[in-house]
Amino acid sequence: MLLPPLLIRTLGCKWTIVLSMGGYVAFSLGNFYASWYTLIPTSILLGLGAAPLWSAQCTYLTIAGNAHAAKAGKVGLDVVNHYFGIFFLIFQSSGVWGNLISSLVFGQMPTQGAITEEQLLSCGANDCLMATAPGNSTQRPTQELIYTLLGIYTGSGVLAILLVALFLDPIREAPDKSEGETPSVLSTLLSTFKLFRDKRLRLLMLLPMYSGFEQAFLAGDYTRSYTTCALGIHFVGYVMICFSATNALCSELYGKLAQYTGRAPLYALGAATHLSCIIALLLWRPHPDQLPVFFVFSGLWGVADAVWQTQNNVLFGALFAEHKEAAFAHYRLWEAMGFVVAFGYSTFLCVHVKLYILLAMLSAAMMSYVAVEVMECRALRGPSVTVTPAEAGETQTKM
């Protein structure tokens, strides 16, 4: 939580991004010889890089969007919304190419045998033992295929670092004349702690937490207990391509749509979509004969996830404009906490219990969001002024 604002203030957004991306490359390299002594240190580097990377990216987009809006005479929030839409369009499209690459590489494995009806009975919401039970298509890929895939991912990471270092323009927020000098590193660190006193932040922390929960469920449970269990591991990449494609397209769509509808209808759409999916996943019994349904669920999950990814970042940037680095650091902290908790109980709970937890988290997050929107509406209206009959008569006389 302290590292992102410290790096952003000292190095700037650009070089914070470059430095943080090194953690991702290190993690890819660590997987070439996967062991306790390589994965634990590189996982720590990955975690240390993830928070500053995302905080710097969000800060960069917010500053750039507001700067462009000031020059073009547009509303800053609308431009920032559009920028985040474009960013997540490109970001989520990486899931399409990444999963396509992994599917093509691992598609060279021999196909698995037929899935028995007995195995299908333990798929979906009924899955309680998938972590220990033998899977239907969990044959380990050959070392040559693993090295091929890791080589592609590592090369892509190195190329991304070079592109950012060479071509991304450095950017810093212009200091507000009314506020005097630019805040020091120490004051930025203190503001990270002080910001938690804001009641709005304490309420909104449930939104990024839910984002972590729902992403962890899709990546860890849907792909395992639904897709792999009923179809086989070779379908996981294609199902996730559907998720990434709808997520990317909807991110761009929401970025443009938000300036006409506002954020509240988009949050309602995301909540309704995930609510419907959660209830349906509780009732559905996955079967290989229902192949299109697997893609429908992943696609709808992407439609809703695009709301959380774009609108959450815009919301934090708009509400805490004077402390963007601290706000985005808090955002990534609570999102990471959602991932940690969800993956932590992943091997101990049945899938239907995890779905009920998701349902409870979604409900709590949306209630807290509504509370913040009500607080903002009241703040914009200002204190109500009561006019007495005598004052009204005096006003009429003056008129």
Side-chain angles (χ1 to χ4, degrees), residues 37 56 140 147 222 229 348 373:
Y37 301 103
R140 178 180 172 82
Y147 286 154
Y222 183 76
C229 185
F348 301 103
E373 287 288 12

Side-chain angles (χ1 to χ4, degrees), residues 302-373:
V303 169
D305 183 71
V307 173
W308 315 128
Q309 299 308 316
T310 57
Q311 299 309 303
N312 283 356
N313 284 286
V314 174
L315 179 63
F316 272 68
L319 294 184
F320 310 106
E322 297 180 0
H323 305 285
K324 286 183 286 293
E325 299 94 339
F328 288 128
H330 276 284
Y331 179 90
R332 294 304 159 188
L333 169 68
W334 293 110
E335 185 179 48
M337 190 67 67
F339 275 107
V340 169
V341 174
F343 282 126
Y345 64 57
S346 180
T347 57
F348 301 103
L349 299 178
C350 297
V351 172
H352 68 271
V353 176
K354 298 173 189 176
L355 285 167
Y356 284 124
I357 293 175
L358 264 185
L359 188 60
M361 283 297 301
L362 174 61
S363 302
M366 292 312 299
M367 285 190 291
S368 66
Y369 164 72
V370 171
V372 171
E373 287 288 12

Side-chain angles (χ1 to χ4, degrees), residues 27 51 59 63 92 125 131 147 155 229 238-239 250 271 285 291 304 316 323 342 392 394:
F27 183 72
T59 303
I63 295 174
Q92 295 296 349
Y147 286 154
C229 185
Y238 298 112
V239 168
C250 288
R285 298 294 174 259
L291 181 61
F316 272 68
H323 305 285
E394 184 179 349

Side-chain angles (χ1 to χ4, degrees), residues 43-311:
S43 295
I44 293 174
L45 289 176
L46 177 64
L48 289 174
L53 174 63
W54 279 101
S55 298
Q57 286 172 340
C58 295
T59 303
Y60 189 100
L61 289 172
T62 303
I63 295 174
N66 285 325
H68 178 73
K71 291 179 180 179
K74 298 180 180 178
V75 179
L77 185 62
D78 293 342
V79 177
V80 172
N81 233 320
H82 190 203
Y83 275 28
F84 272 106
I86 296 173
F87 171 79
F88 279 103
L89 167 67
I90 299 170
F91 170 72
Q92 295 296 349
S93 67
S94 67
V96 176
W97 312 120
N99 283 295
L100 181 60
I101 291 170
S102 65
S103 297
L104 293 175
V105 171
F106 289 145
Q108 302 174 53
M109 295 171 53
T111 56
Q112 89 277 3
I115 301 171
T116 65
E117 290 295 329
E118 183 181 358
Q119 286 177 317
L120 291 173
L121 291 176
S122 63
C123 295
N126 292 330
D127 180 17
C128 292
L129 300 173
M130 272 294 291
T132 56
N136 53 49
S137 182
T138 55
Q139 178 184 356
R140 178 180 172 82
T142 64
Q143 204 64 30
E144 182 182 355
L145 292 179
I146 294 175
Y147 286 154
T148 301
L149 187 64
L150 288 174
I152 295 171
Y153 288 163
T154 304
S156 301
V158 172
L159 178 61
I161 291 176
L162 293 175
L163 289 175
V164 173
L166 295 175
F167 298 109
L168 184 67
D169 293 330
I171 187 172
R172 286 184 183 271
E173 188 172 21
D176 193 342
K177 295 180 181 179
S178 62
E179 295 180 359
E181 298 180 358
T182 303
S184 65
V185 173
L186 179 60
S187 64
T188 302
L189 293 177
L190 290 176
S191 69
T192 306
F193 287 107
K194 291 179 180 179
L195 191 61
F196 200 66
R197 298 177 183 175
D198 195 321
K199 186 178 180 180
R200 298 173 302 171
L201 179 64
R202 296 199 300 272
L203 286 170
L204 287 177
M205 71 181 188
L206 290 175
L207 277 177
M209 275 194 75
Y210 173 73
S211 176
F213 271 86
E214 56 91 6
Q215 290 180 77
F217 176 82
L218 182 77
D221 294 302
Y222 183 76
T223 55
R224 181 185 63 188
S225 300
Y226 289 86
T227 307
T228 301
C229 185
L231 298 177
I233 197 172
H234 58 288
F235 268 98
V236 170
Y238 298 112
V239 168
M240 292 303 290
I241 285 174
C242 184
F243 164 78
S244 299
T246 56
N247 203 325
L249 294 175
C250 288
S251 295
E252 169 66 8
L253 175 63
Y254 298 156
K256 293 182 177 179
L257 198 60
Q259 59 183 308
Y260 304 107
T261 64
R263 57 178 175 252
L266 295 179
Y267 272 108
L269 172 64
T273 304
H274 265 177
L275 176 64
S276 303
C277 287
I278 292 170
I279 295 173
L281 287 172
L282 282 167
L283 301 175
W284 181 46
R285 298 294 174 259
H287 194 279
D289 294 339
Q290 303 167 337
L291 181 61
V293 182
F294 292 87
F295 293 91
V296 169
F297 274 116
S298 64
L300 289 175
W301 208 267
V303 169
D305 183 71
V307 173
W308 315 128
Q309 299 308 316
T310 57
Q311 299 309 303

